[in-house]
Each structure stands twice: as structure tokens, then as C-alpha cells.
Amino acid sequence: TQLLEQSPQFLSIQEGENLTVYCNSSSVFSSLQWYRQEPGEGPVLLVTVVTGGEVKKLKRLTFQFGDARKDSSLHITAAQPGDTGLYLCAGPADTGRRALTFGSGTRLQVQP
Amino acid sequence: DAMVIQNPRYQVTQFGKPVTLSCSQTLNHNVMYWYQQKSSQAPKLLFHYYDKDFNNEADTPDNFQSRRPNTSFCFLDIRSPGLGDAAMYLCATSRDQLGGYEQYFGPGTRLTVT
């Protein structure tokens, strides 16, 4: 069974600080996705990374897919209170099911 | 805008009283999913439909059932809710595509069991 481990589990920072969230696995994934979930809402897809070593930027968010496609990171520059939420990485399950394996999540709180 | 809609957003039911949650989509995606999510944990997949083909997860309790009468709508039936079934229930859709299955989630239904 493929597992995705995220770290840290919880992060509380001040507005303007930088942070990095990690998503690691011992398995190779064909792609990895990042979602952000705000309190009381459903997750929203932020990005999909497909190629080993790929870097994608979404405003102040930078996503990287590891060369071996076993890990990914999310870096936020100058965090803002609007970045607060649960960040989830996810990748296609290995069993041929049309499903995703989700990481355990990182809860980010940005204090003004 | 194309979207995934869930109704109601909040549902209160009594212990043992059947409840139905609904999901509709305007994305015309052929895959629809139901997830259960408890207090800041990752969503847990209950089952999914690929077109009309129902796929149950091995650890989904029999208490949970689903119906998909057409492409746009999908329902989650909880036959006899217990206190442990209180959670956020998320519906999601996806296009059938190799390797990806990027998912588009609805806003969720918060279920309270009294």
C-alpha cells in the first residue's frame, strides 16, 4: 500500500514568514497533487506535478516534485492569514483504482 | 461556473434515523466519489462511481450506501447513523484520465448525530 507522510503536522507562524511543507513516500508516484482546505469547506486543487524535478509556481507558492517522484514540497513565501488551512498532498493509488492516496495533512495557521 | 454542489451544508439527524446527503455536478465528469472526513484528518474514501459502476472500499461499513441515478447526481445514504458517523462528508468528481484523477470537491455536508 502506498503511503504519503506529511510534515509538519501543524505549523503556526506569523504573517510574512516563509515555510515549507513536505510530502514523502517510499513509493514512486506518477504524479502528485496539492490541495488546500479552508475550515468548513472542501479541498481545492492547487497544482499537479508530473515530471521528476518539476517546479511549479502559483503566486507565492512554489511546488517541487522530487527527481525520483517519491516526494514533493510546498514552499510559501511571505505567508498571509489567507493561507491558513489544511494542506493535503495526494497521488494516484497503486491498485488501479480510480482513487487518490491522501497524505495525513499539514494544518497551517498564519497569525496576523 | 461548473461546480460540485452539496446539499444540505449542515444536517442534523437522530441516532438510528436514516439520512440522505446529495451531490450534484455540472462538470460532466464520469467519476464521482464520497469521502468521510473527521476533525482535520485526511478525507477517507467510502466509495466511488465510474459512470454507473459502483466501487466500494473494503473497509466501508454496510451502513453506508450510495446511488447514482444519472451522471449529474449522486446520493449518500446512511441507514442507521451512529454517533461515530458524525463527520464532514465530501463529494468529489474526476474525469477518467490515465494516472491523474485530479478531484474537484464540493463544499461538504457537516453531519451531526444526536
Side-chain angles (χ1 to χ4, degrees):
Chain A
T1 303
Q2 293 177 312
L3 292 175
L4 285 167
E5 296 182 0
Q6 286 186 240
S7 60
Q9 288 185 312
F10 182 78
L11 195 54
S12 180
I13 62 172
Q14 295 296 122
E15 182 175 1
E17 293 183 20
N18 301 333
L19 67 116
T20 302
V21 176
Y22 298 94
C23 175
N24 295 297
S25 176
S26 58
S27 303
V28 175
F29 282 85
S30 58
S31 63
L32 280 178
Q33 303 161 23
W34 285 92
Y35 295 80
R36 177 170 66 209
Q37 184 176 21
E38 296 183 12
E41 299 294 331
V44 174
L45 178 66
L46 296 174
V47 78
T48 300
V49 286
V50 179
T51 305
E54 182 178 7
V55 176
K56 282 190 173 179
K57 292 192 174 185
L58 185 65
K59 297 183 180 178
R60 294 175 293 100
L61 278 60
T62 301
F63 304 86
Q64 187 162 5
F65 200 12
D67 291 340
R69 292 184 289 130
K70 292 183 178 182
D71 55 86
S72 182
S73 64
L74 158 60
H75 182 79
I76 301 179
T77 303
Q80 299 177 1
D83 296 326
T84 293
L86 179 68
Y87 288 81
L88 295 159
C89 66
D94 63 348
T95 57
R97 294 153 48 230
R98 298 174 192 85
L100 294 176
T101 295
F102 278 91
S104 50
T106 294
R107 178 155 293 282
L108 172 65
Q109 190 166 18
V110 182
Q111 310 279 4
Chain B
D1 285 342
M3 57 193 343
V4 181
I5 301 164
Q6 289 189 244
N7 285 306
R9 293 292 311 272
Y10 301 91
Q11 176 74 57
V12 180
T13 190
Q14 292 179 334
F15 182 93
K17 185 174 181 181
V19 65
T20 295
L21 309 182
S22 70
C23 176
S24 64
Q25 55 130 341
T26 60
L27 296 162
N28 203 32
H29 286 170
N30 57 341
V31 191
M32 293 187 77
Y33 305 82
W34 279 104
Y35 290 89
Q36 180 192 66
Q37 187 179 31
K38 295 186 176 182
S39 54
S40 298
Q41 297 177 16
K44 178 182 182 299
L45 182 63
L46 296 173
F47 24 60
H48 76 273
Y49 274 95
Y50 174 64
D51 291 327
K52 293 187 176 182
D53 184 24
F54 178 71
N55 298 269
N56 199 29
E57 293 299 299
D59 58 354
T60 298
D62 293 340
N63 198 26
F64 292 86
Q65 304 286 321
S66 186
R67 297 170 282 134
R68 189 181 185 185
N70 54 52
T71 299
S72 301
F73 286 87
C74 196
F75 300 96
L76 170 62
D77 300 308
I78 309 177
R79 294 191 297 186
S80 181
L83 297 179
D85 296 328
M88 173 77 91
Y89 289 88
L90 295 164
C91 174
T93 71
S94 173
R95 283 179 298 164
D96 181 20
Q97 57 186 27
L98 289 177
Y101 303 115
E102 295 173 339
Q103 301 200 357
Y104 297 82
F105 285 85
T109 295
R110 170 76 60 190
L111 178 68
T112 300
V113 182
T114 61

